[in-house]
Amino acid sequence: MEASAQSRKEQAGDFESPGPTLTFSNISYAVNLKKTFSIKKGEEKWILQNVSGIMKPGMNALLGPTGSGKTSLLDVLAHRKNPKGIKSGQVQLNGQFVDSSSHQPSAYVVQDDILMGTLSVRENLEFSANLRLSKKEYNAEERQKKVNEVIQELGLQDCASTKIGTEFLRGISGGERKRCSIGMELITSPSLLFLDEPTTGLDANTANSIMHLLYMLSRNSRTIIFSIHQPRYSIFRLFDSLTLMNKGQIIYQGPGAEALDYFTEIAPAITTYVTVDSSSDKNHLVHRYEQSRYYDKVKKELKQFYKPRNSMSKVKTKSYPTSFWNQLYIVGGRTMKNFLRNPQTSVVQVFMMIFFGILNGLIFFQIPNTMPEALQNRIGAFFFLIINQVFGNLSAVELFIKEKVLFIHENSSGYYRTSAYFLSKILIDLIPNRIIPIFGLAAISYFMIGLKEDVTSFFLFILTISLTSLAAVSLAFFVSASANTFAAANALIAIPYVLMMVFGGFLVNLNGMLNWLSWLKWISIFRYGLDALAINELKGQIFYSNLTLFYGEAYLDQQGINHSTWGFWQNEVALFCMTIVFMFLAFVQLLTVNKWK
Ligand SMILES: Nc1ncnc2c1ncn2[C@@H]1O[C@H](COP(=O)(O)OP(=O)(O)OP(=O)(O)O)[C@@H](O)[C@H]1O
């Protein structure tokens, strides 16, 4: 019954209420093919050449062979491309000019479903609603109502409380993920919805159901524009308008149903062109299109909808529906949930710290000061702890890079400010994630090794390891914010870590080091950490070696370590300053990260 009602509706092509009309004229888009390390200006590659057209209420499909420019046109229309590359052209919505700073009621669903895997479908939708619906217009109850409406409209009731899924957690199906991604955007009630290849990676049945869903949405005040690859006939017949592209140009725009007739009609001309007239520069298909009645029709419609620009539109600054503090609260809440539900970051982290604490304790177990090797063993234990804190961050880089994809998507879709994400990452993730397990590690090591029995020294020991860990993780965060791939980030982080270790004072005698390399000790997290731990432990202690007695201070003097009160605290200050500098640099990188597609 329901299916036949739907098919009647499809055939009638009726709209409960039509969405807006989008027109675009003379759009040219090029990219600069500059080589990575070259200072020369690169060659320009033209991806779209003078394309004009119209996207009317309903289903607008962008079709064409791979590399024909479908995604590029979609991105330009949705203002997702870097304006620097747009060489000419304008886009209008219902006759009004729009640019990236306009508050156009549009939304963009990316090809890869970028969702928080540890959260359920409902929690993801609530996250979108809490950030993107202003509190003034929607109170908590109304936001919940909106989430319920979207769940209902997209048929997500059965999986609403199921988690999306991660590499460790089996989650919802591919079709449900796509529906959820669409839902994240429908929360803001956009009248214009862009989708980049919504059926890619889905089986035939799921692809069909997603396209029918879009069809139903398009009948109710929404204009849907999407790129698509090789649709089946059952999907093809849902298209109200078809835009066919080839080599960055439009070769047909009109009703989907009439495309076949058009190409049958021009087929002989194509053969003639290819065999006889191939010397002409003009793309033959574009040429035929420009001579066709479809082109005339589009031109006529463009004239009707397109209003010439009489003044430059004012560039508005991006505004967010929720305040900074509210964003911080919502993003921080999600970070916390993700942290607690992610065994990779929480349970494994604590377990590893306990394991390394015990291992360190066992290796350097309770050696009294009276034994000749006591002092060297203490320094060895500190070196072990610092290596563990610094190199432990190599695995964090992979997580940071994965999260960056989510951040770029959400930030460019206007969920939150970079500063809200950054602060929530620092306060809810980096600091507790590092500091809490350190208490376990430090307590186990401290007592197993048998270090100084003094409360102040114990807390200074924890402080030093915490600051060392924070400085190292900030550097990892900065590198991850700067690199695009895990492989690049991993290589970039290993170099400073190894240099810092070599010039940390344990492996190379810093006093005998070549002068031109001596500056490296000033940026060594290892040196500051080791020096502080050594001063904290050795100062005021007496050690014995071969029946001779010597003071801890004597060893520190011999190593050139300043053991005055300031001598100790300057290491802590240096670690703290390094943390701040790396965090600041990471923030700048996140601000400038390329959010254009
Ligand atoms: N940043 C870029 N640098 C270099 N070439 C690019 C860039 N972006 C797009 N291109 C090229 O522009 C052409 C059009 O790309 P686009 O992704 O729009 O095509 P498409 O029709 O969506 O292809 P597909 O169906 O394979 O996704 C391709 O040849 C692509 O390689």
Side-chain angles (χ1 to χ4, degrees):
M1 265 301 274
E2 213 181 303
S4 69
Q6 185 181 316
S7 103
R8 269 203 309 279
K9 202 170 178 187
E10 285 165 15
Q11 277 161 17
D14 54 344
F15 290 94
E16 276 171 35
S17 62
T21 298
L22 183 110
T23 45
F24 53 98
S25 129
N26 298 325
I27 290 190
S28 294
Y29 172 74
V31 289
N32 198 310
L33 300 178
K34 184 174 173 266
K35 293 200 180 87
T36 316
F37 294 109
S38 163
I39 41 168
K40 270 197 231 151
K41 205 166 178 258
E43 205 184 303
E44 271 193 337
K45 176 174 178 181
W46 289 84
I47 294 179
L48 296 174
Q49 296 177 42
N50 252 335
V51 292
S52 303
I54 183 160
M55 301 289 179
K56 288 186 280 189
M59 295 279 276
N60 296 274
L62 279 166
L63 240 91
T66 176
S68 55
K70 306 179 290 290
T71 308
S72 302
L73 178 59
L74 191 78
D75 292 343
V76 170
L77 297 183
H79 295 288
R80 291 251 165 172
K81 282 280 189 224
N82 192 339
K84 273 189 203 154
I86 300 173
K87 305 297 174 190
S88 68
Q90 278 143 4
V91 182
Q92 286 188 0
L93 192 64
N94 281 344
Q96 299 285 317
F97 281 99
V98 284
D99 58 29
S100 57
S101 60
S102 314
H103 299 271
Q104 53 162 319
S106 75
Y108 190 106
V109 180
V110 290
Q111 186 179 343
D112 309 306
D113 304 312
I114 306 174
L115 298 158
M116 182 60 100
T118 48
L119 264 58
S120 69
V121 169
R122 178 179 287 281
E123 285 170 330
N124 268 293
L125 295 173
E126 282 170 351
F127 178 76
S128 178
N130 289 337
L131 282 168
R132 298 164 89 193
L133 300 178
S134 95
K135 271 189 165 175
K136 275 186 209 142
E137 287 170 52
Y138 293 82
N139 61 28
E141 205 180 304
E142 284 161 340
R143 285 202 298 273
Q144 201 55 47
K145 202 171 141 217
K146 185 78 206 174
V147 169
N148 287 334
E149 268 171 31
V150 169
I151 289 178
Q152 197 80 25
E153 194 168 19
L154 300 189
L156 286 166
Q157 301 90 324
D158 292 343
C159 62
S161 18
T162 310
K163 298 206 176 84
I164 302 293
T166 63
E167 50 197 305
F168 303 105
L169 180 82
R170 170 88 182 86
I172 56 174
S173 71
E176 288 164 339
R177 276 180 86 100
K178 183 54 77 189
R179 280 167 194 265
C180 188
S181 298
I182 297 173
M184 294 293 279
E185 300 309 318
L186 287 190
I187 288 285
T188 57
S189 315
S191 55
L192 191 58
L193 189 61
F194 296 94
L195 298 103
D196 186 14
E197 307 204 2
T199 56
T200 299
L202 303 179
D203 63 70
N205 264 338
T206 317
N208 241 335
S209 90
I210 291 288
M211 293 314 291
H212 271 93
L213 169 78
L214 291 176
Y215 179 85
M216 296 313 284
L217 295 176
S218 76
R219 303 295 109 176
N220 192 3
S221 331
R222 296 177 190 106
T223 295
I224 312 256
I225 306 171
F226 52 93
S227 60
I228 192 161
H229 252 293
Q230 299 184 330
R232 312 169 121 227
Y233 181 66
S234 55
I235 289 178
F236 187 86
R237 72 197 178 95
L238 299 177
F239 302 165
D240 294 301
S241 161
L242 180 66
T243 302
L244 261 170
M245 300 199 64
N246 184 46
K247 296 182 183 165
Q249 290 183 314
I250 291 180
I251 54 170
Y252 171 81
Q253 189 171 50
E258 293 174 24
L260 191 62
D261 285 347
Y262 169 69
F263 282 102
T264 318
E265 191 186 301
I266 67 164
I270 296 173
T271 322
T272 317
Y273 172 83
V274 172
T275 49
V276 181
D277 193 18
S278 56
S279 59
S280 163
D281 278 338
K282 188 84 178 158
N283 179 324
H284 60 284
L285 286 171
V286 177
H287 184 61
R288 285 302 303 191
Y289 170 59
E290 286 176 358
Q291 290 178 334
S292 72
R293 63 194 162 97
Y294 297 99
Y295 187 70
D296 289 343
K297 207 170 156 231
V298 169
K299 280 260 155 189
K300 227 190 222 164
E301 281 173 336
L302 258 178
K303 257 195 196 148
Q304 184 192 330
F305 283 98
Y306 208 81
K307 308 237 166 56
R309 174 175 277 208
N310 40 25
S311 67
M312 289 294 285
S313 68
K314 266 194 207 157
V315 175
K316 298 171 203 148
T317 50
K318 205 170 181 181
S319 69
Y320 292 86
T322 46
S323 69
F324 167 80
W325 295 110
N326 200 31
Q327 289 175 17
L328 183 62
Y329 175 72
I330 297 164
V331 180
R334 185 181 71 169
T335 309
M336 175 68 87
K337 257 189 203 156
N338 181 49
F339 170 59
L340 295 175
R341 289 179 187 179
N342 209 336
Q344 200 189 5
T345 55
S346 50
V347 181
V348 174
Q349 182 92 5
V350 173
F351 175 79
M352 293 296 279
M353 286 289 183
I354 294 174
F355 170 77
F356 280 115
I358 295 176
L359 185 66
N360 192 19
L362 286 176
I363 297 172
F364 303 101
F365 190 69
Q366 301 277 347
I367 298 167
N369 292 5
T370 45
M371 286 176 71
E373 66 272 26
L375 199 143
Q376 273 314 325
N377 269 311
R378 300 265 194 284
I379 302 291
F382 298 155
F383 191 64
F384 179 104
L385 280 171
I386 293 199
I387 284 200
N388 176 255
Q389 287 309 308
V390 174
F391 284 94
N393 289 307
L394 288 180
S395 60
V397 168
E398 188 181 358
L399 273 177
F400 290 156
I401 293 276
K402 275 188 196 156
E403 279 177 22
K404 204 168 91 174
V405 176
L406 187 69
F407 157 73
I408 292 177
H409 166 64
E410 292 178 341
N411 188 245
S412 57
S413 302
Y415 281 65
Y416 45 69
R417 289 167 195 281
T418 305
S419 50
Y421 164 80
F422 177 77
L423 220 59
S424 82
K425 177 88 193 142
I426 305 285
L427 298 179
I428 313 290
D429 185 356
L430 294 189
I431 296 183
N433 207 352
R434 305 288 131 184
I435 307 296
I436 296 168
I438 283 175
F439 274 84
L441 170 88
I444 294 169
S445 295
Y446 201 90
F447 296 108
M448 279 185 79
I449 300 167
L451 299 176
K452 228 184 210 174
E453 287 175 20
D454 168 38
V455 180
T456 315
S457 299
F458 174 67
F459 282 106
L460 289 178
F461 176 79
I462 290 188
L463 176 76
T464 307
I465 297 180
S466 302
L467 284 174
T468 306
S469 181
L470 283 180
V473 79
S474 313
L475 178 58
F477 190 35
F478 165 51
V479 168
S480 315
S482 318
N484 286 331
T485 61
F486 170 53
N490 222 358
L492 282 175
I493 191 74
I495 298 167
Y497 279 175
V498 169
L499 284 178
M500 283 179 181
M501 184 175 76
V502 172
F503 297 103
F506 188 81
L507 301 177
V508 174
N509 185 333
L510 297 178
N511 294 330
M513 203 164 64
L514 292 173
N515 246 353
W516 65 275
L517 281 178
S518 65
W519 60 272
L520 279 166
K521 68 183 178 196
W522 297 110
I523 53 156
S524 172
I525 295 174
F526 278 80
R527 185 176 76 93
Y528 293 122
L530 266 176
D531 285 5
L533 288 178
I535 301 167
N536 184 42
E537 174 62 20
L538 306 184
K539 205 172 161 185
Q541 292 229 65
I542 299 171
F543 293 88
Y544 301 86
S545 177
N546 299 332
L547 298 175
T548 54
L549 164 159
F550 68 96
Y551 291 96
E553 284 88 339
Y555 171 82
L556 295 171
D557 285 335
Q558 189 192 335
Q559 296 295 316
I561 300 172
N562 175 359
H563 51 79
S564 64
T565 308
W566 168 239
F568 170 78
W569 282 104
Q570 69 183 9
N571 294 303
E572 311 287 340
V573 170
L575 288 171
F576 181 74
C577 291
M578 284 175 98
T579 306
I580 300 293
V581 169
F582 292 142
M583 294 268 188
F584 174 75
L585 292 175
F587 179 59
V588 172
Q589 284 295 354
L590 288 179
L591 275 179
T592 54
V593 80
N594 192 359
K595 287 160 198 158
W596 301 108
K597 284 186 73 193

